[in-house]
Amino acid sequence: MSVPTFVLAVRLRFVSAVLAAAGMILVLLMVGALFPAVGGSIGKLDLPKGVAELLGGADYSSLTGWFRSEIGAVYGPLVIGATAITAAAGSTAGEEEEGILGLVLAHPLERSQLVLAKAAAVAVGVLIVAAGTWIGLVAGVAVAGGGIALADLTALSVHLAFFGFMVGALALALAAGTGRKTVAISVASAYAILGFLVNGFAPLVGGIEWLKYLSPFYYYESNDPIANGIDGADLAVLLAAALVLTAVAAILIRRRDLRG
Amino acid sequence: MSSEIAISTHGLTKDFGGGNGLFDLDLEIEAGEVFGFLGPNGAGKSTTMRLLLDLIGPTRGSANLLGLDSRADSLAVRRRVGFLPGDFQLYPKLTGEEVLDYLADLRGGVDAAVRDALADRFRAELDRPIAELSTGNRQKVGLIQAFMHEPELLILDEPIAGLDPLVQQSFHSLLREVTDAGRTVFLSSHTLSEVERVADRVAILRSGRLMVVDSLSNLRSIAVQRLEVGFAGDVPATAAIEALPGVREARRHGSHMDVSFAGSADPLVKALAAYDVSSLRSHEDDLEEIFLSYYRGGEER
Ligand SMILES: Nc1ncnc2c1ncn2[C@@H]1O[C@H](COP(=O)(O)OP(=O)(O)OP(=O)(O)O)[C@@H](O)[C@H]1O
Ligand SMILES: [Mg+2]
């Protein structure tokens, strides 16, 4: 890994990652503050099973259900996923298309070392947002009156981070393989959204239930980390996928013609 | 030293399809020379340089830099070469200083004294964000990074683009110092006039194919030059001017005459001396004309 490239890449995205983390904290504080007034009165929504599944159960009557639905199911993965995907695609294919990498890679630096440095920087960005999520969860739960174990809040944040590693690494592989930022962003986002839908609906349809195993959401939330804590096997799958995709990125960029 | 080869290419080809790219380039550039690489837009100059830096791979053929293969030994090549891309960007939010810090780090550090001297020489604005710099000032940052590690070989794609005449001058003096030290410069340009003061030899590329490689003095003696002469009184007859040795064509427009000639300007100047010449303007050499005249010259000999 190229250390100067890693340091620079972290620096260039540091402010936006911190802002995303701060936004996360604010939103979670609001979500926590709203629970006493709103959560109890909504109770458990009577939704079709697939839709309820997508919303993290849509059980707003308990604090755990409230946070699971408000943050865990959609908002958390959305922010983390967007952070990871844009950073991964922007710092590789984005810089390539802008004409920055044509100069950087004329220096004595292996392309794969560049990609690994960018991957590590994406991971740092993801960790910053996940840390913001953790702080926000702890604060939001306190504001709501408490009642969720710290370990479970940590578990949700950790699962979220690993989800970010995986989709970020997918965007990285696409960006490194094609050199096209929009391709990387749109394909990785489409995969995440499809994964979200598949994870909610596939289990309801006989014969395609297995599709859920292809979804990152399955490993992120099916074992319900905010209620059941960390699931080592799920995290291992997400991490393995992230590492394999990062290795693929480092290999794909090696012999390809640089664009721009 | 002068017999050493800094760059050689062997059938180097990059076929982009549709007749675009670079085809069967055989070129040898000697250590210690300034070699000008000329050609119109789309001729393949940038493609050649990007192939040398292994930013793109050849369709076929090979290139050797400083005794190293451009593909297999690319890392070693890049350690010893300074490159200015033709169309580059830098991190817009960083200052010139910060960009140079990063690029120097990629080389494991450079001599700060050399880098500062370059910055002084070009009067570069290194404390401002790249996004705020004018084209020329951005180009200076590009030049500094290419020279700051004192590479044995410099590959510069249109280095003069965007530089004002004063900075061009300091660039030219820098090139002389570099070659005096036995280092090699391979630079591209659209026009002969941009390289004629610095280049020892010149190659002309057109549509991806090498047309001419020659010493600058040879090329100069063959190239057609155009002169626009203004007369205060009588204007000479075009037929009389065209009869002078070396003159290819003379055209009159009122009190002005456009004369194109090859070789020595002496007969023309002597003939004009008999008239009241109010103005003289020489025109940019057209590359197309240069190699056409090159071939015409070849046939006549
Ligand atoms: N990535 C690419 N894909 C397809 N065609 C390309 C690509 N890069 C360059 N070309 C084509 O190859 C030819 C040579 O381009 P190149 O950039 O080398 O020209 P150049 O001599 O540097 O021109 P200029 O003076 O305008 O910079 C052009 O026809 C160009 O359109
Ligand atoms: Mg070019």
Side-chain angles (χ1 to χ4, degrees):
Chain A
M1 178 179 98
S2 161
V3 174
T5 303
F6 168 72
V7 171
L8 180 62
V10 168
R11 202 186 129 190
L12 287 174
R13 298 207 169 247
F14 189 75
V15 172
S16 65
V18 167
L19 286 178
M24 203 70 165
I25 294 173
L26 278 179
V27 167
L28 284 160
L29 276 172
M30 275 158 48
V31 167
L34 282 175
F35 176 72
V38 185
S41 63
I42 301 180
K44 184 165 169 47
L45 291 186
D46 190 16
L47 293 171
K49 187 159 184 295
V51 177
E53 200 65 41
L54 289 182
L55 296 177
D59 177 2
Y60 296 100
S61 57
S62 75
L63 187 62
T64 302
W66 175 247
F67 271 97
R68 182 196 296 124
S69 294
E70 286 298 310
I71 296 303
V74 181
Y75 189 71
L78 186 71
V79 173
I80 279 266
T83 302
I85 289 171
T86 54
S91 66
T92 51
E95 290 182 10
E96 180 174 345
E97 287 174 325
E98 284 159 24
I100 296 176
L101 288 195
L103 178 60
V104 169
L105 288 172
H107 288 70
L109 160 73
E110 293 282 8
R111 292 185 190 185
S112 46
Q113 300 303 311
L114 175 113
V115 163
L116 294 180
K118 302 287 193 188
V122 171
V124 169
V126 165
L127 287 174
I128 289 172
V129 179
T133 308
W134 183 80
I135 294 169
L137 282 170
V138 172
V141 167
V143 167
I148 306 179
L150 196 61
D152 289 338
L153 297 179
T154 306
L156 179 61
S157 308
V158 171
H159 272 243
L160 210 48
F162 278 60
F163 170 83
F165 295 158
M166 194 262 149
V167 294
L170 174 64
L172 192 77
L174 289 161
T178 64
R180 291 165 200 273
K181 180 177 156 185
T182 42
V183 167
I185 289 183
S186 40
V187 174
S189 306
Y191 167 76
I193 292 165
L194 271 178
F196 175 71
L197 296 173
V198 160
N199 185 53
F201 288 116
L204 308 180
V205 185
I208 64 157
E209 196 189 343
W210 58 271
L211 271 180
K212 71 183 183 195
Y213 296 115
L214 300 179
S215 166
F217 281 85
Y218 176 78
Y219 306 98
Y220 159 59
E221 61 96 60
S222 66
N223 282 313
D224 202 6
I226 197 171
N228 303 326
I230 281 179
D231 186 294
D234 284 350
L235 293 186
V237 172
L238 289 173
L239 185 64
L243 292 177
V244 167
L245 287 166
T246 302
V248 166
I251 291 165
L252 286 183
I253 200 172
R254 284 173 77 176
R255 300 301 270 186
R256 177 169 68 73
D257 282 358
L258 219 56
R259 309 174 66 238
Chain B
M1 189 82 198
S2 66
S3 64
E4 270 178 51
I5 301 299
I7 300 177
S8 62
T9 67
H10 312 277
L12 191 63
T13 299
K14 182 69 181 182
D15 191 346
F16 288 119
N20 293 325
L22 179 74
F23 302 93
D24 305 308
L25 180 70
D26 291 303
L27 204 59
E28 274 200 351
I29 297 170
E30 285 169 16
E33 72 173 331
V34 176
F35 193 97
F37 202 37
L38 302 181
N41 291 130
K45 305 180 296 292
S46 299
T47 300
T48 305
M49 292 183 166
R50 289 162 63 77
L51 284 165
L52 295 179
L53 270 299
D54 196 33
L55 297 170
I56 56 177
T59 309
R60 57 179 182 273
S62 66
N64 198 285
L65 295 87
L66 305 168
L68 301 160
D69 183 76
S70 68
R71 296 284 274 168
D73 312 318
S74 170
L75 207 59
V77 168
R78 285 180 275 151
R79 202 165 283 131
R80 293 166 60 183
V81 170
F83 178 50
L84 176 74
D87 190 16
F88 66 96
Q89 291 294 324
L90 303 164
Y91 294 98
K93 288 185 209 158
L94 299 186
T95 64
E97 194 79 49
E98 291 167 330
V99 166
L100 292 177
D101 283 342
Y102 169 56
L103 297 177
D105 284 348
L106 291 180
R107 298 193 177 277
V110 302
D111 187 339
V114 174
R115 177 177 147 175
D116 293 346
L118 285 166
D120 285 347
R121 175 174 218 143
F122 289 128
R123 271 174 287 159
E125 301 179 57
L126 295 184
D127 48 358
R128 290 177 65 188
I130 298 294
E132 293 177 11
L133 294 182
S134 68
T135 314
N137 281 318
R138 203 165 47 84
Q139 183 80 349
K140 292 177 189 173
V141 180
L143 283 171
I144 295 172
Q145 65 80 29
F147 282 88
M148 68 181 175
H149 55 295
E150 302 187 279
E152 292 153 73
L153 171 61
L154 284 136
I155 299 179
L156 310 172
D157 197 354
E158 296 182 38
I160 305 169
L163 298 181
D164 66 46
L166 220 62
V167 183
Q168 288 190 22
Q169 250 172 34
S170 29
F171 173 70
H172 286 154
S173 68
L174 178 63
L175 287 191
R176 271 189 290 277
E177 289 166 29
V178 161
T179 47
D180 284 350
R183 292 148 68 196
T184 312
V185 180
F186 180 42
L187 60 86
S188 76
S189 170
H190 292 120
T191 61
L192 187 60
S193 60
E194 265 186 8
V195 301
E196 65 186 348
R197 263 178 298 166
V198 287
D200 303 304
R201 287 198 304 150
V202 162
I204 301 179
L205 201 64
R206 187 176 62 161
S207 307
R209 293 179 195 279
L210 188 62
M211 309 301 290
V212 175
V213 185
D214 208 339
S215 70
L216 197 76
S217 47
N218 268 346
L219 206 63
R220 257 274 158 255
S221 70
I222 294 164
V224 171
Q225 304 178 57
R226 286 204 301 130
L227 207 59
E228 189 188 314
V229 191
F231 297 94
D234 291 344
V235 179
T238 50
I241 297 294
E242 281 182 341
L244 294 168
V247 173
R248 303 226 178 266
E249 197 183 24
R251 270 199 201 149
R252 186 177 163 176
H253 311 279
S255 62
H256 285 257
M257 189 176 275
D258 271 338
V259 186
S260 51
F261 67 97
S264 169
D266 193 55
L268 179 62
V269 171
K270 296 265 160 74
L272 292 176
Y275 296 84
D276 187 350
V277 175
S278 60
S279 68
L280 267 183
R281 239 164 98 181
S282 85
H283 287 269
E284 196 71 72
D285 296 291
D286 185 338
L287 280 183
E288 197 77 12
E289 234 167 75
I290 290 174
F291 59 68
L292 281 180
S293 62
Y294 189 89
Y295 285 116
R296 269 202 303 268
E299 283 156 18
E300 280 166 19
R301 263 179 286 164

